[in-house]
Every structure is written in C-alpha cells, then in structure tokens.
Amino acid sequence: MNIIDSLKQSRTVIDSLLLNQSTEFGMASIPSPLTELEMAAQECVDALQNGNKIFFMGNGGSAAEAQHLAGELVSYFMAQSEPYAAIALNTDTSVITAISNDLGYKHIFSRQLQALSKPGDVAIYLSTSGSSENILEAMKYGKINGLVNIAFTGMKTRWMHDYSTYYVSIPSTSTPTIQEGHLILGHILCHYIEEKLEDARTKDMP
C-alpha cells in the first residue's frame, strides 16, 4: 500500500464515522459512534462538576493515547482552562510492576480502580482489539462498582460491549486505523469537556 492509499483508507473510516450509523456485529447492534461519544462526553462533564474523576487506560499504543488524553485535561486542550481531574492508569511503572508481580498483569487496572475510584467516576478504556484481559477485568470492576464505563474500541470483537455504559466503536478492523480514530474522537471528547465546563464557569463569574 502506498501513502495515498493509506490516507484514503483513513478518510474512508472518517467518512463512516460522519454517517453516524449503528452497525450489526454478529448478532448484536453496535450503536452510532458519534451519538455514543456525545452522551459519554456529557457524562464526563457531569462527573467533573460533581467532584468526580476521569480515569484513562490502555495497552501499547492505546496506553500512549490514554496518557495523551489525560494530559489534555490536566493541562489544557484549546482554551487556557481550569485543570480537570484526569488520570492515566498506565503511567506509574512501580504500581504496574508491583501489581503484575504480586497479582498478575490482568489486574493492573482493576486494582488501581479499586484503590482510587469511587461511584460516579468515569473510566475510559482504550482497546483496539476489545479483548485485552486487563481492560475487561477493569470494566467488570467498574460496572459492579458504579463507574461510568466508556469503551473506545474497533470492530474486531464486541466483548467490551457487555460492560459498557457507552460504547464508541471505530468502524474498522485495522489496528492503526482504529488508533487514529480513537485519537480524533478523544480530541473531540476533550474539546467538548473543556468547552462545556468553561462556559459554565464563565456564567458563574460575577
């Protein structure tokens, strides 16, 4: 594949996202991604206004995107906004290696949620495959313990669907393309959060 063909493939996925249509995956209906994203973003706004936090997590390239998006909220995205409570759970190597060594790698995120989260917090799980064991384990914990579970995934599997409050699925089975879609939608999520919270803060100013 040459560079032009690769760009055309990415554009095809973006065009599919803009259609914002539900799709069939096996015997299940996968919801419209942008509709899910908007509802998920509003949940993030509500959570932050209520004093809750947003947790991001992923493996490999998705780990990089998780800490990228957390950084956008703790620093600022477009406006010089207030800092927002966001944490990437894949960044503390001492915690991750301790949990991996003592309990097993599948628990690296669920154990941190157990230690740090409370009901009403938001957890955003990034997995291109949708089958990462540590992500699914964390989602199970989040669902049982009152977290808002937001899945960012693709069209390889649908295992994350059962544990999700909101299910944002990139219409692709290509790992790089799914990651590109996650970053685009992640930036839209951060922009939405920042804009809504800054609007609210401005209205409250004397």
Side-chain angles (χ1 to χ4, degrees):
M1 177 181 290
N2 62 34
I3 291 172
I4 298 298
D5 288 339
S6 181
L7 284 171
K8 285 179 179 178
Q9 180 176 305
S10 297
R11 185 177 69 182
T12 298
V13 171
I14 292 171
D15 288 341
S16 298
L17 283 171
L18 288 170
L19 291 174
N20 197 32
Q21 296 175 339
S22 59
T23 56
E24 296 299 317
F25 190 105
M27 301 297 290
S29 178
I30 303 302
S32 308
L34 299 186
T35 301
E36 289 289 290
L37 182 70
E38 185 170 10
M39 292 190 293
Q42 186 57 49
E43 286 273 16
C44 291
V45 170
D46 294 343
L48 291 170
Q49 287 179 322
N50 291 329
N52 290 94
K53 296 182 289 294
I54 301 174
F55 297 96
F56 292 88
M57 66 206 81
N59 296 285
S62 296
E65 292 193 339
Q67 70 183 76
H68 176 153
L69 296 174
E72 301 286 20
L73 295 177
V74 173
S75 181
Y76 67 88
F77 184 60
M78 297 289 288
Q80 295 224 356
S81 63
E82 295 293 306
Y84 305 125
I87 303 168
L89 297 183
N90 42 259
T91 57
D92 191 328
T93 54
S94 294
V95 168
I96 290 170
T97 53
I99 295 170
S100 298
N101 188 59
D102 298 341
L103 300 170
Y105 193 70
K106 70 181 282 186
H107 299 288
I108 64 167
F109 299 134
S110 58
R111 185 73 171 181
Q112 291 186 76
L113 287 179
Q114 186 178 357
L116 301 173
S117 70
K118 63 181 180 180
D121 287 343
V122 175
I124 299 178
Y125 311 86
L126 293 93
S127 175
T128 59
S129 69
S131 60
S132 299
E133 192 175 24
N134 52 20
I135 292 290
L136 295 173
E137 191 71 16
M139 293 190 80
K140 291 174 190 176
Y141 178 87
K143 184 171 184 178
I144 292 169
N145 290 279
L147 304 188
V148 178
N149 275 355
I150 301 172
F152 272 47
T153 188
M155 296 290 286
K156 293 187 176 186
T157 66
R158 57 175 298 276
W159 292 346
M160 296 171 76
H161 186 267
D162 293 341
Y163 307 112
S164 300
T165 314
Y166 301 102
Y167 188 79
V168 181
S169 179
I170 303 298
S172 176
T173 57
S174 164
T175 296
T177 303
I178 295 168
Q179 288 174 335
E180 291 163 9
H182 285 173
L183 188 54
I184 291 169
L185 296 188
H187 277 165
I188 293 171
L189 176 81
C190 291
H191 194 185
Y192 184 101
I193 292 168
E194 185 178 71
E195 189 174 74
K196 291 288 185 180
L197 289 176
E198 283 302 292
D199 285 349
R201 186 172 71 90
T202 302
K203 287 176 183 176
D204 290 340
M205 291 174 65

